Amino acid sequence: MITTPIIQLDDVCKSYLTGEVDTQVLKHISFSIQEGEFVAIMGPSGSGKSTLMHILGGLDLPSSGTYYLDSQDVATLTDAKLAEIRNKEIGFVFQAYHLLGRRSAIKNVSLPMYYAGIPHDKQLETAKAILAKVGLESRENFVPSQLSGGQKQRVAIARALAMYPRIILADEPTGNLASDQGQEIMHLFEQLHAQGHTIIVITHEKRIAMYADRLITVQDGEILSDTKVRR
């Protein structure tokens, strides 16, 4: 049975104009991702993978070509609709965590629900359940300064899950972690994938990319390879 991809890029290019210099960062990128896939996008610094991540997350638009998210041409969506999609359909996980330092873990996880207008009691109930899901039920009232790097990233993942998104987009999620903490985070992504989430991990590390089922390698703004991961 043929299914419609949840993500489809057709001949996507991205350029940035600095003064009179037009720098092409992405060059004719085309691929699709089916719902429920676990994909790693790997490349060295300067390869264009972070720019690609911003386009996939609706944080930036292609200079040319088309990006379809759930069959919608992202370029045709209003800013308000894009913001709604980013809050409800895509869970973001960043290398630097982006947690609010004065808010507890449970309040950090509640933020996407607050912006969506979900009642306060429901926010706390959901946040508690998700923190338990990532093994932090005993840390829900701790602020980030009281948490280890791995625990902070688990809070960030819990926050990404708050709206039950279809897609989890993780940019270098283990970059600030020791290797054992990084393994814990990647095992957590494996569990989330098994539960049906579409997982996209941006990384420069081969060992992290090998947790995925599919590896897209980017170099100099172009797709170098797109292969299944062999274990």
Side-chain angles (χ1 to χ4, degrees):
M1 183 178 67
I2 298 175
T3 57
T4 302
I6 192 169
I7 281 173
Q8 183 173 334
L9 280 75
D10 290 336
D11 201 31
V12 164
C13 298
K14 182 65 182 181
S15 299
Y16 293 103
L17 189 62
T18 305
E20 296 182 355
V21 179
D22 190 7
T23 303
Q24 192 170 19
V25 181
L26 296 179
K27 307 167 187 175
H28 309 289
I29 300 289
S30 296
F31 63 81
S32 61
I33 295 175
Q34 297 291 334
E35 188 157 15
E37 280 198 88
F38 188 170
V39 180
I41 298 175
M42 188 179 74
S45 177
S47 62
K49 64 184 186 299
S50 293
T51 300
L52 181 56
M53 185 277 292
H54 280 88
I55 289 174
L56 292 173
L59 300 167
D60 202 354
L61 294 173
S63 300
S64 63
T66 311
Y67 171 31
Y68 296 99
L69 179 59
D70 205 17
S71 300
Q72 300 178 91
D73 181 349
V74 170
T76 67
L77 302 177
T78 64
D79 289 344
K81 182 62 177 177
L82 270 175
E84 180 184 349
I85 287 172
R86 286 193 298 265
N87 192 49
K88 294 182 178 179
E89 298 293 328
I90 304 174
F92 292 91
V93 181
F94 297 100
Q95 177 178 348
Y97 320 128
H98 294 322
L99 302 177
L100 297 183
R102 296 184 179 181
R103 290 180 177 260
S104 64
I106 195 167
K107 288 185 178 179
N108 267 285
V109 175
S110 297
L111 275 177
M113 295 179 279
Y114 169 79
Y115 290 124
I118 291 173
H120 182 68
D121 289 350
K122 181 64 174 176
Q123 291 178 35
L124 294 181
E125 178 187 342
T126 302
K128 284 175 70 74
I130 296 174
L131 282 168
K133 188 175 184 179
V134 300
L136 289 179
E137 58 268 35
S138 64
R139 297 289 189 271
E140 61 184 42
N141 293 313
F142 286 42
V143 296
S145 62
Q146 297 172 307
L147 301 172
S148 69
Q151 289 170 338
K152 290 176 188 176
Q153 195 60 292
R154 284 175 179 267
V155 174
I157 292 170
R159 181 184 56 195
L161 293 171
M163 297 297 294
Y164 298 99
R166 296 169 68 190
I167 301 167
I168 297 174
L169 186 57
D171 185 23
E172 300 282 4
T174 64
N176 285 338
L177 303 178
S179 59
D180 58 337
Q181 293 176 328
Q183 287 179 352
E184 290 177 4
I185 294 302
M186 294 312 298
H187 287 318
L188 181 53
F189 281 128
E190 287 181 320
Q191 294 168 22
L192 295 172
H193 174 237
Q195 293 164 15
H197 290 281
T198 303
I199 311 287
I200 305 171
V201 173
I202 313 295
T203 184
H204 69 279
E205 296 184 77
K206 185 68 176 287
R207 64 182 181 85
I208 296 301
M210 296 308 288
Y211 283 91
D213 295 326
R214 176 181 169 196
L215 174 58
I216 298 172
T217 304
V218 180
Q219 184 172 302
D220 297 326
E222 300 178 290
I223 292 180
L224 193 63
S225 62
D226 184 348
T227 59
K228 295 290 185 183
V229 173
R230 294 183 178 180
R231 293 186 174 85

